[in-house]
Amino acid sequence: MPGARAIVLVEGTSDQIALETLAVRRGRDLAGEGISIVPIGGAQAVGRFLARFDQERSDATLAGLCDEREEDVFRRGLERAGLGSKLTRVEMERLGFYVCVADLEDELIRALGPASVEAVIDSQGDLGSFRTFQKQPAWRGRSIEGQLRRFMGSADRRKIRYARLLVAALDLDRVPRPLDGVLAHV
């Protein structure tokens, strides 16, 4: 990250992959532009990362992406770093920090629609596993969107693999607002 022009703090690797995949689809070379996307290992680490940038006196542009349930953690981190007080979501966005409602997977499922997500799952040979998952008592009768979200996170590295695949399947006119906002900020 030393020498980076911009740094995007994200909760995990799937967020990083989604943003990098979208940037490539839009013809951007983030590394060539001096932009680093940094998975911080969960929202609780945002304050530590923001403090580190302050200590290093970095003049890099900061941005970030988090899930809705982690919005308050990111907000407090930004406030402790001296980037505002009593920040609203709109004020966080002005700083370049965007919130996925409810999370990255939910944003992508809504942008693509369940049928398109199922087509991506089928293209990976996972549709049978998804159908078996849907039959589990805890998931029977739940919304297809909820089932898809849980399925994405139910196996090791599935969330990471599908972040790339779902962004690759997006119509570029229907990119989720948080992903658009972060990349536009940097």
Side-chain angles (χ1 to χ4, degrees):
M1 291 181 303
R5 178 186 67 73
I7 299 163
V8 180
L9 303 177
V10 296
E11 290 184 65
T13 305
S14 61
D15 305 300
Q16 175 188 20
I17 288 170
L19 288 169
E20 289 173 347
T21 302
L22 180 58
V24 168
R25 289 201 58 212
R26 290 203 165 138
R28 292 185 66 182
D29 174 10
L30 297 181
E33 294 176 38
I35 300 170
S36 293
I37 300 176
V38 181
I40 61 175
Q44 301 300 326
V46 72
R48 185 175 68 244
F49 277 83
L50 290 169
R52 190 168 118 198
F53 295 122
D54 186 46
Q55 289 170 351
E56 293 174 2
R57 304 279 186 247
S58 175
D59 59 355
T61 298
L62 286 176
L65 184 69
C66 68
D67 295 343
E68 188 172 49
R69 69 183 170 276
E70 305 300 348
E71 180 178 2
D72 286 339
V73 175
F74 264 64
R75 178 181 291 111
R76 285 190 305 272
L78 292 166
E79 290 171 354
R80 281 191 207 113
L83 298 172
S85 64
K86 297 181 183 176
L87 294 170
T88 65
R89 188 177 289 184
V90 170
E91 291 165 330
M92 288 174 63
E93 289 179 357
R94 280 192 205 113
L95 294 171
F97 287 79
Y98 286 78
V99 178
C100 290
V101 178
D103 55 26
L104 174 66
E105 294 74 29
D106 187 51
E107 292 279 358
L108 294 171
I109 291 165
R110 275 187 282 116
L112 285 162
S116 293
V117 174
E118 283 187 334
V120 171
I121 290 171
D122 191 24
S123 76
Q124 299 301 300
D126 288 339
L127 192 57
S129 295
F130 178 61
R131 295 292 183 236
T132 299
F133 173 84
Q134 287 180 297
K135 293 175 187 173
Q136 293 178 2
W139 292 98
R140 261 186 256 143
R142 301 261 183 125
S143 73
I144 184 76
E145 294 85 359
Q147 291 171 340
L148 288 165
R149 278 182 61 219
R150 181 64 182 120
F151 180 75
M152 297 290 164
S154 66
D156 188 39
R157 302 190 58 82
R158 186 179 287 154
K159 193 175 194 177
I160 293 168
R161 182 166 51 108
Y162 278 102
R164 179 182 335 276
L165 295 167
L166 295 178
V167 171
L170 278 175
D171 176 337
L172 290 178
D173 291 329
R174 294 188 44 87
V175 172
R177 187 174 176 282
L179 300 177
D180 250 347
V182 167
L183 288 180
H185 191 78
V186 296

